[in-house]
Amino acid sequence: GGIITQTPKFLIGQEGQKLTLKCQQNFNHDTMYWYRQDSGKGLRLIYYSITENDLQKGDLSEGYDASREKKSSFSLTVTSAQKNEMAVFLCASSIDFWGGSQNTLYFGAGTRLSVL
Amino acid sequence: QQQVRQSPQSLTVWEGGTTVLTCSYEDSTFNYFPWYQQFPGEGPALLISILSVSDKKEDGRFTTFFNKREKKLSLHIIDSQPGDSATYFCAASQTSSGQKLVFGQGTILKVYL
């Protein structure tokens, strides 16, 4: 088994601030993802990285940057925090991107963001 | 544009009852449909999944049904337990396009004693 560790668990920021969320996985998975979870809207894909050194935009990439520093870590940056924004950011990983139905996504517990 | 629609938004059942959650989707090329279960303070975890070549898959008290013609799927939980209280997400993808799941809005399930 393995685990996905997201830091910090809670993040409080100021409007306009640049904020960075970190994710580490020890599954030795090739592919990593960042999702945003809002109440009533499900999970929406922000960025994903198929392999180390790869970066792909998801449906919600505007306002975010991402970085795959090494195979085990994937960071997400909120480039300018929006006032009163509240959301949970979930990191996930899978063995690879092309394995079809064999590819389960494993999620971390999330980083809860509040912007004052 | 919501490609995967889930209902109801929230649901309360008594212990021992049957829970039914439903999803509909628009993209007819979707062929893989997992259900994820999320407990408070945790990330979602895969509960059960089905491919479009099947119409039913069972795993203990959990069964998912798939209707290709109507573009609908459902999750049935029999003998619901308080420990089943969680948020449930259906999702969909086209496996040949990689693991880009489209998630529904989620259903918050509460099971009371």
Side-chain angles (χ1 to χ4, degrees):
Chain A
I3 191 167
I4 293 183
T5 302
Q6 290 188 238
T7 54
K9 284 188 168 54
F10 299 94
L11 183 56
I12 299 176
Q14 301 288 332
E15 184 182 12
Q17 194 176 1
K18 187 174 176 179
L19 303 166
T20 297
L21 292 66
K22 294 191 179 294
C23 176
Q24 297 265 353
Q25 54 98 358
N26 64 0
F27 287 100
N28 199 34
H29 285 170
D30 280 342
T31 306
M32 296 186 74
Y33 312 78
W34 276 106
Y35 281 89
R36 175 178 166 131
Q37 181 176 10
D38 293 276
S39 179
K41 291 186 180 176
L43 280 64
R44 292 178 289 173
L45 184 62
I46 306 172
Y47 266 97
Y48 61 106
S49 170
I50 296 176
T51 58
E52 191 177 351
N53 299 319
D54 174 75
L55 206 56
Q56 305 284 337
K57 291 183 178 181
D59 298 325
L60 205 67
S61 61
E62 189 170 337
Y64 303 95
D65 286 327
S67 173
R68 185 83 180 266
E69 296 87 2
K70 50 187 178 180
K71 187 175 183 179
S72 62
S73 65
F74 193 30
S75 297
L76 180 73
T77 298
V78 179
T79 56
S80 179
Q82 300 298 303
K83 190 173 174 62
N84 297 323
E85 181 176 6
M86 281 183 64
V88 177
F89 292 85
L90 294 166
C91 176
S93 70
S94 63
I95 294 174
D96 62 38
F97 190 69
W98 302 106
S101 62
Q102 306 306 311
N103 256 343
T104 300
L105 258 60
Y106 294 87
F107 285 87
T111 292
R112 282 147 186 80
L113 171 68
S114 295
V115 181
L116 303 177
Chain B
Q1 181 188 2
Q2 188 69 36
Q3 292 190 63
V4 178
R5 289 190 175 83
Q6 196 170 341
S7 64
Q9 196 171 347
S10 64
L11 180 63
T12 301
V13 300
W14 293 107
E15 184 182 19
T18 297
T19 298
V20 180
L21 313 179
T22 62
C23 278
S24 63
Y25 63 96
E26 296 172 6
D27 190 336
S28 56
T29 65
F30 286 155
N31 62 352
Y32 171 60
F33 304 90
W35 288 88
Y36 279 79
Q37 179 188 53
Q38 183 182 31
F39 294 108
E42 298 181 11
L46 180 67
L47 178 65
I48 191 169
S49 64
I50 191 166
L51 288 167
S52 60
V53 293
S54 302
D55 56 14
K56 177 183 173 181
K57 188 170 180 185
E58 198 171 328
D59 184 358
R61 295 185 296 108
F62 300 88
T63 302
T64 183
F65 294 91
F66 175 68
N67 185 320
K68 188 171 186 174
R69 184 179 59 84
E70 294 186 11
K71 294 185 190 172
K72 288 184 177 178
L73 57 154
S74 62
L75 176 69
H76 293 231
I77 308 172
I78 61 170
D79 188 24
S80 300
Q81 300 295 309
D84 297 332
S85 298
T87 300
Y88 292 82
F89 294 98
C90 63
S93 71
Q94 181 191 42
T95 53
S96 61
S97 296
Q99 188 70 306
K100 280 184 67 177
L101 289 173
V102 179
F103 284 85
Q105 306 97 309
T107 295
I108 300 170
L109 171 66
K110 291 193 198 316
V111 181
Y112 287 115
L113 290 168

